[in-house]
Amino acid sequence: MTGFEVDLPAGSTRVSALVQAPADPVAVILLAHGAGAGMGHPFLTGLADALVQARFAVERFVFPYLEAGRRMPGPAAHAMATWTAAMRDAEQRFPGVPVIAAGKSYGGRMASMAAAEGLIAPAGLVYLGYPLHPPGAPEKLRAAHLPAITAPQLFVEGTRDPFIQPLEQFAEVVATCQRAEVAWVDGGGHSFDVAGTKRPAHEVGASLADPVAEWVARRGITSSASGGVPGHSSGVRRGPQDRGS
């Protein structure tokens, strides 16, 4: 366990982090938790373990509200400041290696806001269940900032996720992004649980490593010295609204 300092309006605070890395990582996945669970959640642990097997370094971290023992997220500005500090920490730990900002739900949305405001400049962004709007409230979109992001973006989404229904609206939002793709988990909910099946969260998280690795390889977001991402095969499908240019 390690950590780093975050500069907040009330002063500096330290948050916890967990780093896993192979000897010669192809890229760094900076991985944030969702609003309701910390970095040690089995879903993120499974994903991180599988990404390390695919030769990625993974740095997980905690937002200040959770570090302080609170359950509700603090101001968005605090989360974006945490992303700024996390990027700096990852770049110092792995000099010269591309850093990809990734997050489950809330964690991914906060990364997107930080990127849109120019606070971070990741090589790419991965959203694991982007919370486009509160469930049942598609009029309350959280998407106005997305077109401003210039880095490649991957939305990993379950087709049953209530945070992106109706899917037609979600497709319209993705179409406004500059360089975005969607990796669909057929039948998946917000936690990527598939109706009619029962898998432990660790296994569900691990199953998403392949589509992430495939996207990184296709985008060429790898360290030139690493030799690239090994070949992968995934059951997750790419969506027709992929915008790969």
Side-chain angles (χ1 to χ4, degrees), residues 15-230:
V15 297
S16 301
L18 181 60
V19 180
Q20 300 167 256
D24 187 20
V26 296
V28 180
I29 304 292
L30 193 52
L31 184 58
H33 59 79
M39 67 178 181
H41 190 277
F43 172 87
L44 293 183
T45 299
L47 175 59
D49 289 347
L51 287 170
V52 172
Q53 288 295 315
R55 294 178 52 208
F56 290 91
V58 180
E59 180 172 350
R60 287 177 273 169
F61 63 92
V62 174
F63 288 109
Y65 76 90
L66 201 61
E67 188 74 48
R70 297 190 295 271
R71 297 181 62 182
M72 295 299 293
H78 290 191
M80 289 189 285
T82 307
W83 265 110
T84 302
M87 282 291 299
R88 182 170 57 246
D89 187 70
E91 289 168 350
Q92 290 173 349
R93 292 181 189 275
F94 302 97
V97 181
V99 179
I100 297 164
K104 178 70 180 79
S105 193
Y106 166 85
R109 183 167 75 92
M110 293 299 104
S112 72
M113 292 172 63
E117 294 195 14
L119 299 176
I120 62 174
L125 294 106
V126 175
Y127 312 123
L128 305 166
Y130 187 87
L132 182 62
H133 56 70
E139 73 281 2
K140 298 180 179 179
L141 284 179
R142 302 157 172 163
H145 63 288
L146 293 175
I149 298 173
T150 58
Q153 301 171 81
L154 175 66
F155 293 82
V156 183
E157 305 291 342
T159 56
R160 292 189 305 108
D161 187 347
F163 286 81
I164 61 168
Q165 304 297 331
L167 296 182
E168 294 79 10
Q169 181 187 48
F170 174 71
E172 292 171 359
V173 168
V174 173
T176 69
C177 298
Q178 296 188 45
R179 303 162 69 191
E181 300 179 30
V182 183
W184 289 109
V185 177
D186 287 323
H190 191 57
S191 298
F192 302 100
D193 51 308
V194 176
T197 67
K198 188 172 181 60
R199 294 188 297 168
H202 186 281
E203 183 179 320
V204 174
S207 72
L208 301 184
D210 278 359
V212 172
E214 290 168 1
W215 175 77
V216 170
R218 190 165 60 251
R219 283 292 186 178
I221 310 174
T222 58
S223 171
S224 59
S226 69
V229 181

Side-chain angles (χ1 to χ4, degrees), residues 4-19:
F4 52 83
E5 298 292 322
V6 179
D7 293 327
L8 299 178
S12 179
T13 187
R14 187 169 180 83
V15 297
S16 301
L18 181 60
V19 180

